[in-house]
Amino acid sequence: MSRGTIVVLVMLGVILVLVPIGGIVAYVYAMGENHKNLRFPSDDVTVARCGLDPVSKRPVAELSVTSQAGRRGTYTVTVEFQDDREKAVEQGTGVVKDLAVGATGRTVVVGAEAYAEGEPVCVVHDAYFKSTKPVATATP
């Protein structure tokens, strides 16, 4: 083979290897840029208080939700009540309806069963955000 043919084959091999790698690198970079400010609804939720109801001895979690979403909406939050060994005992759900951007709302989640012993640990297990769309009104 001539020297020119070898150079062409080497260049084709380099292109065949570098183009897919370059495509993968560009894809990863673009996905990182698209998701760098991604927020999860659970980031907006904090457990303000966790304890036992003094009468029923059921676990109680007071949740505070400060909306950082880009629009008005409703938060549905699942709280997991755990024992002192971080074992899940039960779950409960709380809702903060129609929360404006930047506003703070509160909800209380109460467990269904009396807590056996010790103090519960309240953990935000999951949070879901649903946008509240404004209702259009017709004008006569």
Side-chain angles (χ1 to χ4, degrees):
M1 270 199 264
S2 70
R3 185 174 187 173
T5 306
I6 293 173
V7 169
V8 169
L9 289 175
V10 168
M11 291 303 291
L12 280 174
V14 168
I15 289 172
L16 288 174
V17 170
L18 291 182
V19 168
I21 291 174
I24 291 169
V25 168
Y27 175 78
V28 169
Y29 174 78
M31 294 313 298
E33 286 297 307
N34 287 340
H35 294 97
K36 72 178 179 182
N37 293 325
L38 184 64
R39 290 188 49 79
F40 297 99
S42 59
D43 294 340
D44 297 346
V45 181
T46 57
V47 177
R49 188 181 82 77
C50 181
L52 290 176
D53 178 72
V55 176
S56 68
K57 302 298 184 202
R58 295 186 306 176
V60 177
E62 292 181 18
L63 306 176
S64 176
V65 180
T66 302
S67 179
Q68 299 299 317
R71 58 203 175 282
R72 182 178 210 95
T74 297
Y75 285 82
T76 303
V77 183
T78 303
V79 175
E80 185 173 83
F81 297 107
Q82 300 176 347
D83 62 16
D84 56 354
R85 287 181 236 122
E86 297 183 1
K87 180 183 175 211
V89 176
E90 67 176 308
Q91 292 183 342
T93 303
V95 176
V96 177
K97 292 184 178 180
D98 201 29
L99 194 60
V101 176
T104 299
R106 288 177 118 30
T107 187
V108 176
V109 179
V110 181
E113 300 290 326
Y115 201 73
E117 59 183 64
E119 287 291 317
V121 176
C122 304
V123 177
V124 175
H125 179 71
D126 192 22
Y128 176 75
F129 175 82
K130 183 172 183 188
S131 178
T132 308
K133 294 182 180 179
V135 178
T137 57
T139 55

